Amino acid sequence: AQSVTQPDIHITVSEGASLELRCNYSYGATPYLFWYVQSPGQGLQLLLKYFSGDTLVQGIKGFEAEFKRSQSSFNLRKPSVHWSDAAEYFCAVSNAGGTSYGKLTFGQGTILTVHP
Amino acid sequence: NAGVTQTPKFRILKIGQSMTLQCTQDMNHNYMYWYRQDPGMGLKLIYYSVGAGITDKGEVPNGYNVSRSTTEDFPLRLELAAPSQTSVYFCASSSQGDYGYTFGSGTRLTVV
């Protein structure tokens, strides 16, 4: 069965600092990979997704992620964090096959705190 | 421009009561999903549907039921509520082959 691990439960950074959130997945075939963001009391919003092709994926709000097959990782990065980026971030994986019907397996989430 | 609409936003149930969580989408998406979110556990799939009249179980279906009579609506039914069903419930939809979900704003359910 596929699984997703986000090793960091909580990360604190200063505003303007760079950010990297880690995500490791376990899946035999080529996965579809996603990052979502959840602000307090809100639903989740898609930041970016990787299906195939260029392993560096650009998303909304200045985020990017890099797919590294050899490390089974899909880490999320941002060069300069803004206070409004404080939220919880979820990595997710889906089976690339047609019978997956888009079902996602989510990681446990990483809470990002931004200090002024 | 509504996207995915969930009602109610909050609900308190007594043990043994039943209720239906409503979910409606206006994007003509084929695929719809119900997830529950518990602190530190991420989101777990309860049920999903690939079109009207077609539903299937996810990872944690026990205690829940769904139906999909139209493309737009995907209600989640809780029968005989238990404290273990205290959670935040999210409905989501996606188009076939896209897999990028649009989420509703969630229903926070407490069973006492």
Side-chain angles (χ1 to χ4, degrees):
Chain A
Q2 60 199 35
S3 66
V4 178
T5 301
Q6 294 179 244
D8 304 306
I9 296 173
H10 195 170
I11 283 183
T12 300
V13 299
S14 298
E15 191 169 17
S18 64
L19 172 69
E20 183 169 29
L21 301 182
R22 296 184 291 164
C23 173
N24 294 100
Y25 66 90
S26 172
Y27 186 65
T30 300
Y32 289 169
L33 294 159
F34 306 80
W35 275 100
Y36 286 84
V37 60
Q38 183 181 32
S39 297
Q42 301 297 315
L44 283 73
Q45 181 184 22
L46 179 66
L47 283 176
L48 48 79
K49 60 187 177 183
Y50 172 78
F51 285 4
S52 64
D54 192 345
T55 57
L56 185 62
V57 181
Q58 302 297 320
I60 62 172
K61 305 185 180 188
F63 285 93
E64 67 179 25
E66 186 171 13
F67 171 57
K68 293 185 177 180
R69 183 188 302 276
S70 61
Q71 299 178 18
S72 297
S73 69
F74 189 57
N75 294 349
L76 182 71
R77 301 194 294 249
K78 187 169 185 178
S80 177
V81 171
H82 188 262
W83 64 266
S84 60
D85 293 324
E88 190 163 14
Y89 292 80
F90 292 92
C91 182
V93 63
S94 180
N95 182 342
T99 56
S100 75
Y101 304 119
K103 293 177 289 182
L104 293 182
T105 299
F106 284 86
Q108 304 92 323
T110 298
I111 298 171
L112 174 65
T113 298
V114 181
H115 281 322
Chain B
N1 205 27
V4 177
T5 302
Q6 287 184 242
T7 57
K9 294 190 181 301
F10 303 93
R11 183 71 185 268
I12 299 175
L13 277 182
K14 293 184 179 179
I15 294 172
Q17 288 185 321
S18 301
M19 76 165 294
T20 298
L21 282 64
Q22 302 292 343
C23 176
T24 299
Q25 54 95 4
D26 62 359
M27 297 166 288
N28 202 34
H29 284 169
N30 288 332
Y31 294 172
M32 295 188 74
Y33 314 87
W34 276 105
Y35 286 84
R36 60 176 288 172
Q37 182 181 27
D38 300 295
M41 302 294 290
L43 283 77
K44 304 292 185 185
L45 181 64
I46 305 171
Y47 270 94
Y48 68 100
S49 169
V50 300
I54 306 170
T55 63
D56 205 351
K57 297 177 181 178
E59 185 181 358
V60 290
N62 291 343
Y64 308 95
N65 276 299
V66 293
S67 60
R68 183 102 181 264
S69 58
T70 66
T71 299
E72 294 78 19
D73 299 311
F74 190 42
L76 178 71
R77 178 80 176 165
L78 279 71
E79 305 282 2
L80 299 175
S84 61
Q85 294 178 303
T86 294
S87 187
V88 180
Y89 292 84
F90 287 101
C91 179
S93 71
S94 73
S95 57
Q96 185 174 352
D98 179 81
Y99 297 2
Y101 287 5
T102 299
F103 278 88
S105 58
T107 296
R108 183 173 295 275
L109 175 68
T110 303
V111 181
V112 297

